[in-house]
């Protein structure tokens, strides 16, 4: 029998999607889900979040007209269906690879991706900017933002709601509530949402209303008015409080986010609304795949098999162990995460010391300032955070922590090259940004044992400290010298006048592969080991290597030191160039920064330096 063409092959644009009938849409949902599962198995990616938003995304594209209408996805990790619909199905098999497509919205990839994203809680603000620009220009398109309950915990969301509710520009906020951030969602707002979800009687009444409305022969404002009135009658008595409506934003929901027909129905109606509305949909993270639904945290981000060299160890595996060891002897030790307990390795600590563990939601700014409060009260807070997400807490690090010299320790994971999560996730900036802040000490270990040593040192260090480290490391060194002196450590000696000052495991591994150079573990990035620098003779050639952006980084501070001292020592700075890292291939990123032996040797040769 001739195989019928798959529906998915007939849809290459939102316009083609709109030609499907409701039965075909059902089949399309299954085919999209299948494609996502099959692709993520090979390429890695955000499986659970994408499986949970297939129906919702299809309904949105069925009702709205992209790119004229502006559709934003908060964080953007759940946009696989959106990419498949908007002309990128052919490239989808090459997800998260160079030459394929990226795993997050990318303005260079499609005009249906309004902005490049990857960090949480920005969609309402960007959406409001688009809505205001539309109104100023006298245009009419819709602005729709899809935001998860996890992303809703970020402070920017509340800043935007405050603004949106007061001025009432037309926009549609779709709150995708699956009770999960990466782990179970936390906080008072998550509890409020669960009250909304659990108001069973309200749901029943709501669905009765919906059915009644669906039977009426017309659409438009009148229906919305009717829905509003009926809803208000029942809701006021049933809900503990009308949070959104009190802010001036109309609330509709909760709706089943997997019932595509009713989603299309309600979105069509909301399209005609005048001011800001919030549509609350409830979805299952991982929907359609039992195993994923049962453990959505495990399947939030899936690594492609080839991406994780089995011989490497995650630095995060050292973190809980060392913090637990410290906490056992010191009841002032506190661990803080901004919704990243698994990724940063705090789970074990959370289980062992629940009273001293704080998951604050996706709220890095709040986490940093809260740590300042703990430190001001004599506690020793450790805030474990990915490099790129720490960027959110830049001002709090300066103003709330460093000005008063508070002993807060940042454990900065995923520093340096990150690979296939893309441009928003590369840990290129933390080293330079942290190093410029007065009172801040910055370190980077060569291996897991040195990280443990640094964490232990931090517990008795009475000043702000940032310990940065890449995702994983290759091997532990046999030799270790203690970190207390803040001195660097010589790892390889040579008679030549070339000295490589290498920061972190990747730079060190690359440098140790060279011949004809002294290699130093420059594990304290700030303050510089000036005793060592002063010991060098004029005429020495210093090569600095760092897994970070060169501008403002370690190498430039070494050069500035020699220049201030008017020393005749040449400094060659190696690391990432002054541009955003667009490649998704981790090895290529490392090569671009001179962080493999071959690439480092080439860069040294290009600088005209001969290694003997
Ligand atoms: C500023 C920032 N901090 C942390 C993250 C890491 N992160 C990515 S997705 C996510 C959870 C998002 O939860 P939610 O919005 O509910 O979406 P879901 O995955 O549940 O669909 C987190 C913490 C991020 N992207 N940005």
């Amino acid at each position: 029998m001739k195989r019928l063409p798959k529906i998915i092959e007939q849809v290459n644009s939102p316009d083609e999607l709109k030609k499907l009938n409701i039965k075909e849409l059902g089949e399309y949902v299954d085919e999209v889900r299948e494609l996502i599962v099959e692709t993520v198995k090979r390429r890695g990616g955000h499986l659970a979040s994408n499986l949970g938003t297939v129906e919702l995304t299809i309904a949105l594209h069925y009702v709205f007209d992209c790119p004229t209408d502006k559709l934003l996805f908060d964080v953007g990790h759940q946009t696989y269906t959106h990419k498949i619909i908007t002309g990128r199905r052919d490239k989808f098999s090459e997800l998260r690879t160079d030459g394929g497509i990226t795993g997050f919205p990318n303005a260079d990839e499609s005009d249906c991706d309004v902005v490049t994203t990857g960090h949480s809680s920005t969609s309402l603000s960007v959406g409001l900017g688009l809505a205001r620009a539309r109104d100023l220009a006298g245009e009419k398109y819709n602005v729709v933002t899809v935001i998860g309950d996890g992303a809703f915990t970020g402070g920017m969301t509340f800043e935007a709601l405050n603004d949106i509710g007061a001025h009432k520009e037309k926009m549609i906020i779709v709150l995708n509530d699956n009770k999960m951030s990466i782990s179970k969602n936390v906080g008072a707002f998550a509890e409020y949402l669960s009250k909304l979800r659990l108001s069973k009687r309200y749901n029943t009444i709501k669905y009765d209303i919906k059915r009644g409305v669906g039977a009426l022969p017309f659409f438009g404002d009148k229906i919305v008015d009717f829905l509003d009135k009926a809803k208000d009658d029942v809701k006021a008595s049933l809900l503990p409080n009308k949070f959104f409506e009190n802010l001036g934003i109309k609330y509709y929901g909760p709706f089943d986010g997997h019932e595509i027909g009713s989603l299309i129905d309600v979105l069509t109606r909301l399209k005609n609304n005048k001011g800001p509305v919030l549509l609350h949909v409830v979805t299952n993270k991982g929907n359609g795949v039992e195993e994923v639904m049962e453990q959505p945290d495990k399947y939030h981000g899936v690594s492609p098999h080839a991406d994780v060299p089995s011989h490497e160890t995650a630095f995060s595996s050292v973190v809980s162990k060392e913090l637990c060891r410290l906490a056992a002897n010191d009841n002032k030790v506190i661990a803080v995460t901004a919704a990243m307990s698994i990724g940063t390795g705090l789970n074990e600590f959370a289980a062992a010391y629940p009273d001293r563990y704080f998951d604050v939601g996706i709220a890095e700014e709040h986490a940093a300032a809260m740590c300042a409060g703990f430190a001001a009260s004599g506690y020793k807070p450790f805030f474990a955070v990915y490099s790129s997400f720490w960027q959110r807490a830049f001002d709090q690090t300066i103003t709330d922590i460093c000005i008063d010299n508070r002993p807060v320790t940042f454990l900065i994971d995923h520093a340096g090259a990150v690979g296939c999560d893309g441009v928003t996730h590369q840990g290129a900036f933390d080293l330079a940004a942290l190093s410029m802040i007065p009172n801040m000490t910055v370190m980077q270990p060569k291996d897991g044992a040195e990280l443990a040593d640094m964490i232990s040192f931090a517990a008795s260090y009475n000043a702000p400290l940032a310990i940065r480290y890449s995702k994983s490391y290759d091997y532990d060194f046999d030799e270790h010298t203690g970190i207390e002196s803040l001195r660097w450590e010589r790892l390889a000696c040579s008679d030549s006048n070339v000295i490589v000052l290498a920061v972190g495991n990747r730079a060190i591994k690359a440098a140790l592969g060279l011949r004809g150079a002294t290699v130093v573990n420059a594990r304290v990035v700030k303050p510089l080991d000036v005793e060592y620098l002063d010991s060098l003779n004029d005429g020495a050639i210093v090569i600095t290597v760092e897994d970070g952006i060169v501008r403002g980084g370690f190498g430039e501070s070494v050069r500035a030191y020699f220049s201030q001292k008017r020393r005749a020592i040449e400094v060659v700075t190696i690391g990432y160039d002054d541009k955003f890292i667009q490649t998704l291939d981790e090895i290529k990123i490392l090569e671009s920064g001179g962080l493999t032996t071959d690439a480092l040797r080439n860069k040294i040769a290009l600088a005209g330096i001969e290694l003997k």
Side-chain angles (χ1 to χ4, degrees):
M1 206 172 79
K2 193 165 166 261
R3 191 174 147 264
L4 289 173
K6 284 186 158 191
I7 306 273
I8 200 168
E9 280 157 18
Q10 299 166 27
V11 178
N12 292 305
S13 67
D15 284 346
E16 286 172 349
L17 177 78
K18 290 182 175 68
K19 291 181 190 151
L20 303 184
N21 62 35
I22 192 84
K23 180 170 167 291
E24 289 167 330
L25 280 180
E27 288 170 40
Y28 183 63
V29 164
D30 293 342
E31 292 174 14
V32 167
R33 210 165 248 132
E34 218 175 282
L35 178 61
I36 291 173
V37 171
E38 190 273 320
T39 307
V40 174
K41 252 189 210 157
R42 282 183 299 108
R43 299 287 182 209
H46 290 91
L47 186 58
S49 316
N50 280 290
L51 291 177
T53 46
V54 176
E55 291 90 347
L56 175 61
T57 310
I58 293 173
L60 285 162
H61 276 292
Y62 203 79
V63 172
F64 295 98
D65 298 313
C66 291
T68 308
D69 288 330
K70 310 298 175 207
L71 182 53
L72 300 167
F73 291 88
D74 208 284
V75 184
H77 61 307
Q78 73 291 56
T79 44
Y80 297 173
T81 305
H82 165 75
K83 295 200 177 207
I84 291 167
I85 295 171
T86 54
R88 287 167 276 182
R89 177 174 53 79
D90 282 350
K91 283 194 164 179
F92 193 68
S93 61
E94 304 302 310
L95 179 69
R96 292 158 42 99
T97 58
D98 288 329
I101 56 170
T102 57
F104 289 86
N106 185 332
D108 288 338
E109 221 171 66
S110 166
D111 53 5
C112 291
D113 292 6
V114 188
V115 287
T116 298
T117 58
H119 288 197
S120 179
S121 319
T122 63
S123 69
L124 269 58
S125 303
V126 175
L128 183 57
L130 294 166
R132 286 182 172 161
R134 171 200 61 204
D135 295 348
L136 284 173
E139 302 207 43
K140 293 283 170 229
Y141 53 80
N142 285 289
V143 175
V144 185
T145 76
V146 179
I147 176 164
D149 54 312
F152 228 93
T153 61
M156 273 185 77
T157 299
F158 290 90
E159 292 171 32
L161 285 177
N162 186 45
D163 198 1
I164 293 166
H167 297 283
K168 308 244 182 325
E169 283 87 357
K170 177 181 170 177
M171 64 188 276
I172 299 173
I173 302 162
V174 180
L175 169 55
N176 171 31
D177 177 8
N178 56 21
K179 298 184 242 167
M180 299 292 291
S181 195
I182 291 178
S183 305
K184 194 173 169 337
N185 202 13
V186 295
F189 188 75
E191 280 170 30
Y192 174 67
L193 287 183
S194 67
K195 279 186 199 142
L196 286 183
R197 269 192 313 265
L198 290 175
S199 48
K200 189 89 175 128
R201 217 176 116 214
Y202 170 65
N203 265 331
T204 317
I205 294 165
K206 185 257 309 176
Y207 283 120
D208 286 350
I209 292 168
K210 191 158 65 68
R211 268 187 218 112
V213 171
L216 292 173
F218 56 91
F219 286 75
D221 290 352
K222 281 189 187 144
I223 295 289
V224 174
D225 290 347
F226 170 77
L227 198 62
D228 282 345
K229 173 147 190 355
K231 198 161 61 89
D232 280 347
D233 289 345
V234 293
K235 208 170 53 168
S237 60
L238 292 170
L239 294 182
N241 141 358
K242 301 203 290 177
F243 177 80
F244 296 108
E245 309 229 344
N246 286 342
L247 286 181
I249 298 164
K250 280 189 182 166
Y251 168 89
Y252 296 89
F255 281 86
D256 181 339
H258 301 298
E259 257 190 49
I260 198 157
S262 72
L263 287 175
I264 291 174
D265 195 29
V266 71
L267 285 167
T268 306
R269 289 149 201 250
L270 293 184
K271 207 173 168 179
N272 298 314
N273 215 305
K274 297 264 178 315
V277 299
L278 184 136
L279 174 65
H280 181 190
V281 301
V282 177
T283 60
N284 300 317
K285 202 160 172 172
N287 198 56
V289 182
E290 207 63 38
E291 197 184 336
V292 182
M293 282 199 293
E294 275 164 19
Q295 283 180 285
D297 49 354
K298 179 174 164 200
Y299 292 100
H300 177 86
V302 179
S303 294
H305 298 300
D307 187 49
V308 183
S310 53
H311 62 282
E312 295 223 340
T313 310
F315 271 113
S316 61
S317 67
V318 174
V319 169
S320 255
K321 221 157 78 206
E322 193 53 27
L323 285 180
C324 283
R325 199 185 64 74
L326 290 175
N329 302 317
D330 183 348
N331 63 10
K332 298 287 186 203
V333 168
I334 298 291
V336 175
T337 178
M340 296 289 292
S341 66
I342 301 177
T344 57
L346 288 186
N347 270 3
E348 209 183 303
F349 186 96
Y353 298 98
D355 294 350
R356 287 191 268 153
Y357 163 80
F358 300 91
D359 179 351
V360 299
I362 310 179
E364 291 82 3
E365 310 94 304
H366 161 60
M370 184 188 74
C371 285
F374 266 122
S377 312
Y379 280 80
K380 293 167 188 167
F382 288 79
F383 176 21
V385 59
Y386 281 13
S387 163
S388 73
F389 306 144
W390 165 79
Q391 289 163 197
R392 282 283 163 91
F394 187 46
D395 179 58
Q396 290 75 9
T397 305
I398 296 174
T399 308
D400 300 289
I401 294 172
C402 287
I403 289 179
D404 286 338
N405 208 20
R406 299 288 179 208
V408 172
T409 300
F410 291 96
L411 298 174
I412 302 207
D413 202 325
H414 280 53
V418 165
C420 46
D421 275 336
V423 63
T424 52
H425 284 56
Q426 305 303 334
F429 304 109
D430 70 276
L431 190 155
L434 285 157
S435 300
M436 57 160 266
I437 309 174
N439 287 343
M440 177 58 87
T441 297
V442 183
M443 294 179 174
Q444 183 164 358
K446 66 175 187 283
D447 61 10
E450 196 160 74
L451 173 59
D453 198 17
M454 287 175 177
I455 293 174
S456 167
F457 168 82
S460 52
Y461 193 60
N462 207 19
L465 172 62
I467 306 172
R468 77 185 298 262
Y469 38 92
S470 57
K471 287 189 292 189
S472 54
Y473 63 100
D474 205 349
Y475 50 84
D476 270 303
F477 285 73
D478 294 334
E479 304 280 314
H480 287 95
T481 52
I483 193 74
E484 299 74 25
S485 62
L486 298 183
R487 297 291 314 271
W488 295 341
E489 183 187 56
R490 197 156 45 197
L491 297 175
C493 282
S494 157
D495 300 339
S496 84
N497 63 341
V498 179
I499 296 114
V500 181
L501 302 179
V503 181
N505 53 305
R506 288 162 162 170
I508 289 170
K509 187 178 166 189
L512 288 175
L514 301 170
R515 290 230 185 91
T518 293
V519 178
V520 171
N521 170 16
R523 56 196 179 170
V524 183
V525 173
K526 188 191 174 194
L528 296 173
D529 183 350
V530 292
E531 221 174 300
Y532 180 79
L533 295 178
D534 288 344
S535 73
L536 298 178
N537 295 324
D538 277 356
I541 298 173
V542 168
I543 296 165
T544 61
V545 195
E546 58 202 292
D547 194 3
I549 196 145
V550 164
R551 183 168 286 259
F554 170 70
E556 292 200 346
S557 63
V558 170
R559 182 184 289 134
Y561 180 77
F562 286 136
S563 151
Q564 268 164 10
K565 294 253 160 173
R566 309 195 67 180
R567 297 290 310 277
I569 294 178
E570 188 186 344
V571 179
V572 176
T573 54
I574 295 180
Y576 303 121
D577 289 342
D578 182 14
K579 59 185 182 201
F580 288 105
I581 298 171
Q582 300 288 356
T583 175
L584 304 175
D585 181 324
E586 193 169 308
I587 300 288
K588 280 195 200 149
I589 299 172
L590 292 174
E591 283 169 354
S592 75
L595 288 145
T596 65
T597 298
D598 285 346
L600 181 57
R601 195 180 289 116
N602 286 342
K603 283 189 186 270
I604 291 171
L606 271 176
I609 295 160
E610 212 182 315
L611 293 177
K612 293 190 190 104

